[in-house]
Amino acid sequence: MSTPVTSNPAQEESTVDHSKIKVSPEEMEAYDQSGRKPVLLGFFIAVVWLLIGTVLGDLSSFKFDRPDLLTEQAYLTFGRIRPAHLNVMVYGWASTAMFSVSLWLMPRLCRTPLRWGNLAVIGILVWTVGLGVGIALLLAGHGDGLEWLELDRQWADPLLVIGAAMVGASVWKTLAARNVHHLYVSIWYVAASYPWFLIIFLAGNMPFYKGVESAAVNWFYAHNALGLWLTTINLGLIYYLLPKIIGRPIYSYWLSLVGFWGLALFYALNGMHHLIGGPLPSWMIATSITASIMMIVPVVAVGINQHMTVVGRFGAMRYSPALTLAVIAAMSYTAVSLQGILTALVSVNRITHFTHWTIAHSHLGLYMFVTLSLFGGMYYILPRVLKKEWPSRRLVRAHILLVGGGMVLYIVALGIGGVLQGLSLLAPGEGFEASVSSAKPWLLLRSVSAVIISAGHLVFAYHAYLLAFTSRNSLTRHPPFYELKPVLVKKRVP
Amino acid sequence: MTRILVLIMGAMATVIFALVILVILPNSMLSDLKAPPQLKQPGQQELLGRQLYISNGCIYCHTQQVRDPVFTTDIHKGLGNRPSVPADYVYDAPHLLGTMRTGPDLFNVGTRLPDRNWHLLHLYQPRALVPWSIMPGFPFLFEHKPTAEAGDKVLDIPKPYAPSEGVVIISKEAEALVAYLISLQHNYPAPDSDALEEVQP
């Protein structure tokens, strides 16, 4: 059975003592089951949004190759489909899945059943209704006109705020009722994300900004939605999954602290680097460029910490799709952050600003990091909540290879296309036509990768359906990769 | 960390610090920004056009800003005769600075392309005028009728792009959007208000 919670002050200093806490499988199962309803609901809704967002994204991509595709109806025009894709993916897929991740993580980390679980269920539903209303209005031509903040501030945003606050209340109530003395690093990230999100979302949606202030607030929000919401909950998840799956404590408590507080301090100031060269007071942009460069501190801290936790055990990725995805996601976090720092430098930004490079960058962040982390989380969490294993090894492998390969192709293609487009936009002698034609083949390649990724999503959704709604495979005794068969490595393990 | 209080206070402190620096401080510094005398206040029709610009997501491919000539070639490429400044945007709510130049910058599109009919046809079918364009057409901003009625303004469309039968009527919306685009002219000299000097040391 479990040992009593430690109160030895010498041990409090290190997260290492988390590894000394022994929790019985029965106790763990009780925590998992305490959040069963909201966790499953959130994941279900998230996968539905994922499929909707995939269609919207594909359509947006195809419209670059065939500009006359589906132009007759206003709601199908590129300028509505594209923001709908972003909002569905950010608020529908990622955020809803993140609700489930938080509601599953908190009881385990606080060693207490989930509190106010029904409130969280209502919160997820309210959030979903708000998003549905917002997307419908957006497609009908009623949006706020600010990137990342398109959802109608009158009809959609209040529901999102209430929904997130309800889920957040459940998270914080569980935290307040904790039976552990030391707060594990994942708790910091997950718990802090909720007040952060509510503050930035409310600040971003206030209706009284004008002119360049409106731009400042827009990018203050949009950058922090990534930095203080999408990033933080997923870092919390990765910080939980890596040590848990390989059975080894986090490398350094102090690096975790530097990573967390450094991110909180610097990320929040980054937003204006989206407006480099723009008509804002130059000190604002300089502040953001400086803060962007300072991001190297928390990013490297987290990168080293997570790498040193896994190092030497990368072979374990063969046996766990969750670990495979969490490791790729963690590496992508480092990669996307370093790319972001690079892009914030004026010498790079003068080429890449206003080009498809930015889209490649945001997909490295939102897909290779956030989405893969959430897929990894679902591979780990769903079997434990549903108490049955993923039925097919083959489908897991197909999913990972399709989405991983597709997204690498996506990022490389758009990255190259973006740089070519940017060089052309900058070249004094070239007309605008050159920037369009230089990006065209890469945009076509992006559409190809979009199809590959979509196939991966269909595989995943089908597999999740098999897992959840068929009892056929509930008797599977082992996780899908238990009996080896390397995923990413050819060599057979004896 | 063992205390919730440290976590919540620290988290609040960092985000509020950023909020003060990037939102509240600029808000008060830019509050007394005055419109340059040559900048026209948008009229009813232009505001309707601006709303259509927003609702059809023009912002996802077009910027409205001319950047610093020190490190960009925006001015060299004819996007304007000077970099844009905060005072140029005092009437903009929400801002439409944009983040993509999949299509060209529109900060001075009214100066560059003042022809109303060009814009109308270009909105209906961009490739009728610019063969290499990847901009979508916006036929839903026009009305398609079998025959023109009294008072209808018919759009003159070259052969391959015209519908096989009937006529295309210029709607109020299409006219408003074009009026807004043509109103985008910022070729007056940069205003040097006190507020501007204060925030740009």
Side-chain angles (χ1 to χ4, degrees):
Chain A
M1 279 304 286
S2 58
T3 54
V5 178
T6 174
S7 57
N8 179 352
Q11 286 193 346
E12 286 164 24
E13 291 305 316
S14 168
T15 47
V16 171
D17 61 279
H18 284 282
S19 62
K20 296 192 179 115
I21 299 174
K22 296 277 181 287
V23 182
S24 70
E26 293 76 24
E27 188 186 341
M28 210 60 132
E29 195 183 310
Y31 298 149
D32 288 352
Q33 293 309 312
S34 70
R36 182 185 164 92
K37 256 191 284 176
V39 169
L40 292 180
L41 176 73
F43 280 140
F44 176 76
I45 293 172
V47 172
V48 173
W49 281 124
L50 176 71
L51 296 177
I52 297 173
T54 305
V55 173
L56 293 168
D58 287 349
L59 201 50
S60 307
S61 181
F62 299 156
K63 277 168 175 277
F64 279 100
D65 312 314
R66 293 268 177 279
D68 288 319
L69 178 74
L70 300 174
T71 53
E72 289 295 325
Q73 273 80 31
Y75 62 87
L76 289 174
T77 193
F78 174 79
R80 296 189 189 178
I81 296 283
R82 180 205 185 277
H85 164 67
L86 185 144
N87 282 281
V88 164
M89 287 310 200
V90 169
Y91 303 107
W93 152 245
S95 298
T96 317
M98 280 153 52
F99 289 153
S100 291
V101 165
S102 335
L103 295 167
W104 176 83
L105 274 177
M106 290 310 280
R108 279 192 167 211
L109 292 169
C110 299
R111 297 192 67 192
T112 187
L114 184 73
R115 304 303 156 100
W116 292 356
N118 289 333
L119 189 72
V121 169
I122 299 169
I124 291 172
L125 291 174
V126 169
W127 171 278
T128 305
V129 170
L131 181 61
V133 170
I135 296 295
L137 285 172
L138 180 61
L139 290 176
H142 301 280
D144 290 350
L146 297 165
E147 271 186 83
W148 287 72
L149 289 166
E150 288 95 346
L151 299 176
D152 192 83
R153 61 168 65 94
Q154 216 175 337
W155 297 104
D157 291 343
L159 293 175
L160 295 190
V161 170
I162 294 167
M166 284 173 162
V167 178
S170 172
V171 164
W172 275 87
K173 183 70 184 169
T174 310
L175 178 56
R178 71 197 188 280
N179 281 319
V180 290
H181 182 65
H182 192 114
L183 304 179
Y184 182 63
V185 49
S186 296
I187 296 183
W188 318 340
Y189 281 108
V190 171
S193 298
Y194 285 86
W196 275 339
F197 176 74
L198 290 172
I199 288 180
I200 59 168
F201 194 72
L202 283 169
N205 275 301
M206 288 299 141
F208 44 72
Y209 308 112
K210 281 198 312 187
V212 291
E213 280 166 60
S214 155
V217 178
N218 186 176
W219 290 107
F220 168 79
Y221 171 77
H223 202 82
N224 286 335
L226 183 66
L228 301 181
W229 172 243
L230 298 164
T231 295
T232 43
I233 290 195
N234 283 288
L235 280 184
L237 174 64
I238 292 170
Y239 261 122
Y240 182 82
L241 289 182
L242 295 184
K244 188 80 192 169
I245 295 175
I246 59 172
R248 175 200 264 181
I250 278 289
Y251 173 67
S252 160
Y253 171 70
W254 296 108
L255 282 177
S256 319
L257 266 183
V258 170
F260 178 75
W261 290 114
L263 178 134
L265 189 61
F266 300 128
Y267 220 132
L269 289 166
N270 272 4
M272 302 310 118
H273 69 207
H274 290 264
L275 299 162
I276 291 173
L280 263 77
S282 48
W283 67 264
M284 292 176 73
I285 293 170
T287 304
S288 278
I289 294 178
T290 313
S292 304
I293 295 169
M294 293 304 287
M295 274 301 288
I296 200 147
V297 175
V299 166
V300 169
V302 170
I304 292 176
N305 207 8
Q306 296 185 337
H307 181 79
M308 294 306 285
T309 305
V310 187
V311 75
R313 306 264 176 99
F314 282 104
M317 286 163 70
R318 279 176 219 141
Y319 305 102
S320 164
L323 183 66
T324 304
L325 289 165
V327 166
I328 299 174
M331 289 174 167
S332 304
Y333 170 66
T334 310
V336 72
S337 304
L338 295 177
Q339 191 197 17
I341 295 166
L342 197 70
T343 309
L345 303 175
V346 173
S347 49
V348 177
N349 194 272
R350 64 200 285 264
I351 299 168
T352 60
H353 201 19
F354 302 142
T355 70
H356 298 294
W357 169 275
T358 314
I359 308 300
H361 174 61
S362 65
H363 280 80
L364 180 56
L366 273 166
Y367 202 96
M368 287 299 259
F369 167 39
V370 170
T371 298
L372 292 192
S373 152
L374 290 170
F375 281 144
M378 288 177 77
Y379 276 125
Y380 192 82
I381 296 168
L382 280 178
R384 281 157 183 81
V385 178
L386 288 166
K387 294 198 264 186
K388 47 186 176 180
E389 262 306 338
W390 290 91
S392 164
R393 211 178 339 179
R394 202 167 278 161
L395 288 178
V396 175
R397 209 175 310 150
H399 169 232
I400 295 180
L401 289 176
L402 284 170
V403 297
M407 198 35 89
V408 168
L409 178 64
Y410 184 112
I411 292 163
V412 170
L414 267 200
I416 296 172
V419 169
L420 293 178
Q421 181 196 8
L423 288 171
S424 167
L425 282 172
L426 201 61
E430 287 186 30
F432 194 81
E433 180 183 359
S435 75
V436 175
S437 54
S438 62
K440 255 184 186 168
W442 305 101
L443 289 169
L444 184 64
L445 203 52
R446 186 260 300 266
S447 292
V448 172
S449 71
V451 173
I452 299 173
I453 295 162
S454 308
H457 291 171
L458 287 177
V459 169
F460 179 73
Y462 173 64
H463 199 193
Y465 163 81
L466 284 185
L467 169 69
F469 297 108
T470 59
S471 53
R472 188 161 48 93
N473 290 293
S474 61
L475 294 175
T476 308
R477 276 171 51 222
H478 302 303
F481 290 159
Y482 189 80
E483 324 244 11
L484 55 117
K485 269 255 176 168
V487 210
L488 301 170
V489 190
K490 268 267 141 57
K491 207 174 70 185
R492 263 192 166 268
V493 180
Chain B
M1 282 198 292
T2 54
R3 290 177 195 199
I4 297 187
L5 199 66
V6 176
L7 178 63
I8 187 78
M9 295 303 275
M12 289 300 98
T14 54
V15 73
I16 289 169
F17 173 65
L19 198 63
V20 167
I21 291 197
L22 295 181
V23 177
I24 297 169
L25 207 61
N27 192 356
S28 68
M29 285 172 110
L30 295 167
S31 59
D32 51 352
L33 207 59
K34 286 191 185 60
Q38 303 94 324
L39 180 65
K40 271 188 257 144
Q41 193 155 7
Q44 199 90 55
Q45 192 187 30
E46 283 147 15
L47 284 176
L48 173 63
R50 191 171 198 276
Q51 201 49 50
L52 287 161
Y53 186 98
I54 294 170
S55 64
N56 291 306
C58 305
I59 192 189
Y60 299 104
C61 292
H62 295 281
T63 54
Q64 289 190 20
Q65 50 179 315
V66 179
R67 289 174 299 165
D68 194 334
V70 174
F71 62 94
T72 73
T73 50
D74 285 5
I75 291 174
H76 186 95
K77 291 215 164 188
L79 300 184
N81 49 18
R82 60 171 178 83
S84 50
V85 294
D88 292 326
Y89 300 93
V90 286
Y91 297 128
D92 284 17
H95 82 97
L96 298 173
L97 290 180
T99 48
M100 291 292 282
R101 279 188 187 161
T102 309
D105 183 83
L106 301 178
F107 192 59
N108 283 305
V109 69
T111 321
R112 203 162 62 232
L113 297 161
D115 184 356
R116 194 178 141 273
N117 290 321
W118 187 93
H119 279 290
L120 285 168
L121 180 57
H122 186 253
L123 281 178
Y124 182 80
Q125 174 50 279
R127 274 153 300 285
L129 289 160
V130 187
W132 47 266
S133 171
I134 56 168
M135 176 171 138
F138 295 86
F140 55 86
L141 289 177
F142 298 81
E143 275 174 73
H144 191 200
K145 284 186 182 175
T147 49
E149 291 160 34
D152 281 351
K153 294 176 201 161
V154 177
L155 182 69
D156 188 20
I157 308 168
K159 204 68 206 157
Y161 299 103
S164 50
E165 50 194 69
V167 289
V168 173
I169 308 296
I170 300 162
S171 68
K172 193 166 72 91
E173 282 79 24
E175 280 197 288
L177 184 50
V178 170
Y180 171 65
L181 290 173
I182 290 174
S183 79
L184 292 173
Q185 303 186 20
H186 301 88
N187 43 7
Y188 48 86
D192 42 20
S193 70
D194 293 343
L196 210 61
E197 275 166 26
E198 187 184 293
V199 295
Q200 289 190 322

